[in-house]
Amino acid sequence: MARFNEILRARTNEALSRFFGMENRGPAPTLAPEVLPTYDVINAQAENLWIRNELRGGLSHLQGAVPAQRTVMQLWNLAGSNKLAVLERVWTNGTVFIATTNVRTVLGGSVNLTPAAGDTRAWTLGGSQNAGLSLAVRTGNVAIAGIDRANFWLLLTNMNWEGSIVIAPNSGVHIYADADNVQRNLACMWRERPADASELAL
């Protein structure tokens, strides 16, 4: 019940009551009609994620070096997921390329990774339609000729990248090392939400 209240209680009324030193904690218009509350819903607070019906996920992984191969992290939105994912942030300790793709490259030595959940209060409370993260993440190795690099290029070198790369169903993102036989420490964060029927038809 405490978690449910964290999302749905009249937190604005209570905050105004404390701010103006009023004891009854009544409706905001009664407490302070001259105050105009504003709401910033573009952030990762649990209640705002619930309003937008979004999930957040992320992971960190050290990819080992493989002779004559590039290490690759693949983030793939499965066909039929009916969700849109947006890659928002990538950290790397070396140089990597990011490429969007419609081809799910077969990786050698493939290992499935389990993403870490964000604030799970936004998943299960207040009737959220989301049941969990759907983006599939694998790591492995591949020859550079075997990577689909036709759609998008982004080069990162020892840096933190922030932006928006949309990953629609049956498409993905490859993050791969700039050279053979090198290891890369990668971390990434993304958000997911159910897609509207009109979006899936595009």
Side-chain angles (χ1 to χ4, degrees):
M1 188 64 185
R3 291 185 176 182
F4 184 80
N5 287 340
E6 178 67 15
I7 301 293
L8 297 180
R9 287 186 69 183
R11 298 175 65 192
T12 300
N13 293 342
E14 292 194 2
L16 288 174
S17 298
R18 295 191 191 98
F19 183 80
F20 291 106
M22 299 179 176
E23 297 180 357
N24 62 352
R25 298 188 179 184
T30 302
L31 294 172
E34 72 280 9
V35 173
L36 177 63
T38 61
Y39 300 91
D40 175 19
V41 298
I42 309 301
N43 60 50
Q45 291 182 345
E47 52 267 47
N48 292 336
L49 294 177
W50 174 77
I51 289 170
R52 301 197 304 272
N53 204 16
E54 287 187 355
L55 308 180
R56 287 189 178 272
L59 54 81
S60 177
H61 183 74
L62 177 62
Q63 302 180 46
V66 179
Q69 298 280 298
R70 303 287 176 97
T71 57
V72 182
M73 180 181 287
Q74 182 186 80
L75 295 87
W76 192 262
N77 192 350
L78 298 173
S81 71
N82 294 326
K83 288 188 178 182
L84 293 179
V86 180
L87 180 62
E88 296 182 316
R89 186 174 298 178
V90 175
W91 299 265
T92 175
N93 68 334
T95 301
V96 297
F97 288 98
I98 299 178
T100 61
T101 179
N102 294 319
V103 178
R104 194 176 190 187
T105 301
V106 177
L107 305 180
S110 177
V111 176
N112 294 323
L113 303 178
T114 302
D119 193 332
T120 56
R121 292 177 300 174
W123 295 24
T124 57
L125 304 176
S128 173
Q129 298 174 13
N130 284 311
L133 291 168
S134 63
L135 205 63
V137 183
R138 297 188 300 171
T139 185
N141 53 274
V142 67
I144 188 62
I147 298 177
D148 175 32
R149 299 171 291 163
N151 297 312
F152 183 86
W153 283 75
L154 181 64
L155 175 64
L156 303 182
T157 303
N158 297 316
M159 65 177 293
N160 171 15
W161 171 83
E162 295 186 47
S164 296
I165 300 177
V166 178
I167 309 175
N170 200 31
S171 66
V173 168
H174 288 139
I175 307 173
Y176 56 93
D178 64 316
D180 293 346
N181 197 26
V182 296
Q183 69 176 16
R184 289 290 178 261
N185 193 359
L186 290 171
C188 55
M189 185 175 72
W190 67 89
R191 67 178 188 268
E192 301 180 16
R193 66 169 175 82
D196 297 331
S198 60
E199 293 173 319
L200 293 174
L202 295 177

